[in-house]
Amino acid sequence: QVQLVESGGGLVQPGGSLRLSCVASGSIFSIDVMGWYRQAPGKQRDLVATITSVGTTNYADSVKGRFTISRDNAKNTAYLQMHSLKPEDTAVYYCNADIRRYSYSSVRNRYWGQGTQVTVSS
């Protein structure tokens, strides 16, 4: 089985910073793209940022210049460093990963974590 666990969420004032972590564990051969998404109450889940296994990144326009995605392949971990947080960044943040579980199979499946709440408020 494969599990993704996010951590690092919380309450922060506008202009503050937070760092989210996402650890993938279980039967894993390799991880391709890892990503962060967020979902505010009553809204759809939206892309925040993605990173490939070689470090190529992609960001939503709303977070460019404020958020940085990174990963540690040896630890099967992705990070999301968030600066200059705004009230509109308030959401549940979800991590996902495209994982190949076995060396003998090229099949990749997308797994999701349970999410971590980020609240930006004074």
Side-chain angles (χ1 to χ4, degrees):
Q1 190 58 281
V2 172
Q3 190 174 23
L4 269 64
V5 178
E6 302 100 333
S7 62
L11 173 64
V12 63
Q13 292 187 341
S17 299
L18 280 176
R19 189 194 195 207
L20 307 182
S21 298
C22 170
V23 181
S25 62
S27 179
I28 298 171
F29 175 72
S30 65
I31 303 177
D32 294 339
V33 180
M34 299 186 78
W36 288 96
Y37 288 70
R38 65 187 180 185
Q39 187 167 18
K43 295 189 176 181
Q44 67 182 18
R45 189 174 297 188
D46 292 326
L47 169 73
V48 176
T50 61
I51 184 167
T52 69
S53 59
V54 295
T56 301
T57 58
N58 179 55
Y59 295 93
D61 288 342
S62 60
V63 306
K64 283 180 180 177
R66 300 188 298 122
F67 292 9
T68 301
I69 189 171
S70 61
R71 64 190 280 177
D72 184 332
N73 291 331
K75 296 181 179 179
N76 289 339
T77 301
Y79 306 96
L80 185 69
Q81 179 67 56
M82 305 184 291
H83 294 298
S84 302
L85 282 160
K86 305 174 181 179
E88 50 264 44
D89 294 318
T90 295
V92 178
Y93 283 70
Y94 296 91
C95 170
N96 73 6
D98 293 339
I99 294 174
R100 178 180 171 188
R101 295 189 64 188
Y102 307 107
S103 60
Y104 55 80
S105 173
S106 61
V107 172
R108 290 161 176 82
N109 294 106
R110 176 161 293 183
Y111 296 86
W112 289 86
Q114 292 300 307
T116 185
Q117 176 71 45
V118 172
T119 302
V120 184
S121 175
S122 55

